[in-house]
Amino acid sequence: MEEDDLLSNPTTTTTTDSSDSALQRKHAAMIERLSNLHQSRSTRKPESESNSTSSFLSRFFESKNSIESTLSRIRQTTDPHSNPTLKPELDNVSLSISNLEKLVAENSFSLPSYEVRTCLKTVADLKQIVEQVTCDVIPKKKFSFKNKSTKKTTTQNDDLGIRVLDNNSQNVESKDLGFKVLDSPGFRGNENEVLVKEFNNRGSDEEIREFVLSDLRGCEVRLMGNIRALFVNKLIDCKVYVGPVFGSVLIDEAKDCVFMMASHQIRIHQVKRCDFYLRVRSRPIIEDCNGVRFAPYCLKYDGIEKDLEEANLGEETGNWSNVDDFKWLRAVQSPNWSILPENERLGAVDISSRDSKISC
């Protein structure tokens, strides 16, 4: 409509103004409704998230307490060897822990990062406990520690400073290591020696056992063949070369050492200025550590490929670089660990003979 027509038709002008006013009122009312809706949602959201977190934690700790109760009851079994239901119960516990880990993963996006890390640490602790309980109450067949004293046979090579622990030697001390492996074989209290242990009868249940390294200074340790678990305590300035471990490696208190090991789980506590060359099925865990560096596993000895396959460690997982620092809860990289620069890494270490060979 032309301007002259609008001026000559006041009725049309009035109608248009009225229409614009009505549209403005509707627009203002819509803006007000949207504003109120946004404010209402903003007010409800924290409460909703809080309820979601509370519900998750309730489910998580209810399952955790149930698992711990079952493990406590199994541990208190007076004669575990005569109870055929223990293994199925432990299998069910392992399944419950897996479900608990899955529950954390499914809710990780909606949970505070602190709660996620705390729950993952709890799951890792439960895995460690169930593995230890399994070792305690269901030892491998044919395996037993005899009450009578075992003969300790040691051969000493004066030129190389090599101490070889034979297959029957347990080298037991009554010192408290902080874990329940006092009757396990191992090296303890040695200084400036090369310590060699080979689990010769591969495939024999007798040779798949726990092993202990404790109170060693300036030593080189070579463990060849498969073992069930390795416990390391109070090592200073040592080099530790370890074949495949079916279960876990626990390291507590070490300084200025080199560790080369393959395992399903590795937990590192109170360690300073140490390098780790790892192949591991799950993420390595560190606690109260600083100056620790990580690189891929590069150990060699005759038959290691077969041993790795038997331990289900034949493939490199890349987890050597996926380290969890349970004392560092921020989103940024923990300053307590780092990747070992390639130009500072050892080459392949061959421990087949008593003379270590390191190739570039």
Side-chain angles (χ1 to χ4, degrees), residues 22 41 79 83 99 113-114 118 170 202 247 323 328 332:
R41 286 178 175 175
D79 188 8
N83 191 336
N99 290 337
S113 58
Y114 171 80
T118 300
Q170 294 187 21
R202 293 169 190 167
V323 181
W328 184 260
V332 297

Side-chain angles (χ1 to χ4, degrees), residues 207-353:
E207 291 306 312
I208 305 174
R209 60 176 66 175
E210 298 89 351
F211 204 79
V212 179
L213 304 175
S214 180
D215 290 305
L216 305 181
R217 182 185 290 268
C219 291
E220 179 177 317
V221 180
R222 308 174 194 170
L223 305 181
M224 291 170 278
N226 292 335
I227 55 177
R228 186 189 306 164
L230 177 66
F231 304 93
V232 180
N233 180 249
K234 296 182 180 178
L235 268 60
I236 298 176
D237 194 25
C238 292
K239 296 178 181 178
V240 180
Y241 305 117
V242 182
V245 179
F246 277 88
S248 296
V249 174
L250 300 179
I251 301 174
D252 185 43
E253 296 186 51
K255 295 180 182 179
D256 303 310
C257 294
V258 173
F259 294 94
M260 195 171 290
M261 47 187 55
S263 178
H264 282 250
Q265 297 180 7
I266 296 177
R267 189 155 188 170
I268 304 162
H269 182 242
Q270 293 189 12
V271 169
K272 297 180 180 179
R273 301 181 303 277
C274 291
D275 290 343
F276 292 87
Y277 295 78
L278 303 181
R279 180 176 295 184
V280 59
R281 298 290 297 179
S282 58
R283 296 166 67 105
I285 296 170
I286 65 172
E287 296 177 273
D288 297 312
C289 298
N290 62 70
V292 292
R293 306 187 298 178
F294 293 85
Y297 189 64
C298 53
L299 186 67
K300 291 186 178 181
Y301 61 77
D302 294 338
I304 189 172
E305 293 82 6
K306 180 181 179 182
D307 289 342
L308 287 168
E309 290 295 334
E310 288 180 355
N312 196 24
L313 291 165
E315 296 182 0
E316 174 58 66
T317 64
N319 276 330
W320 62 268
S321 62
N322 296 325
V323 181
D324 277 335
D325 186 349
F326 277 176
K327 290 300 178 72
W328 184 260
L329 302 180
R330 302 178 188 176
V332 297
Q333 164 72 37
S334 165
N336 299 318
W337 71 275
S338 62
I339 301 297
L340 184 60
E342 290 191 18
N343 61 348
E344 297 183 32
R345 297 177 187 176
L346 297 174
V349 178
D350 190 338
I351 60 171
S352 298
S353 65

Side-chain angles (χ1 to χ4, degrees), residues 73 77 79-89 138:
R73 177 175 53 77
T77 303
D79 188 8
H81 306 290
S82 63
N83 191 336
T85 67
L86 287 185
K87 189 178 186 307
E89 282 192 270
I138 308 180

Side-chain angles (χ1 to χ4, degrees), residues 136-202:
D136 290 343
V137 303
I138 308 180
K140 294 287 185 178
K141 293 180 180 179
K142 300 181 181 179
F143 171 78
S144 63
F145 287 111
K146 298 180 180 179
N147 292 328
K148 64 180 181 179
S149 60
T150 56
K151 181 180 179 181
K152 176 182 175 182
T153 303
T154 304
T155 61
Q156 186 75 31
N157 185 312
D158 294 332
D159 295 330
L160 298 177
I162 294 178
R163 183 181 299 275
V164 180
L165 193 66
D166 75 357
N167 290 334
N168 295 319
S169 177
Q170 294 187 21
N171 197 21
V172 176
E173 294 181 359
S174 59
K175 186 173 182 179
D176 182 8
L177 300 179
F179 23 71
K180 298 173 62 176
V181 289
L182 299 183
D183 57 350
S184 295
F187 292 113
R188 298 171 169 87
N190 302 89
E191 187 170 349
N192 299 324
E193 293 184 275
V194 178
L195 308 171
V196 179
K197 177 73 173 82
E198 183 172 2
F199 300 91
N200 293 314
N201 300 326
R202 293 169 190 167

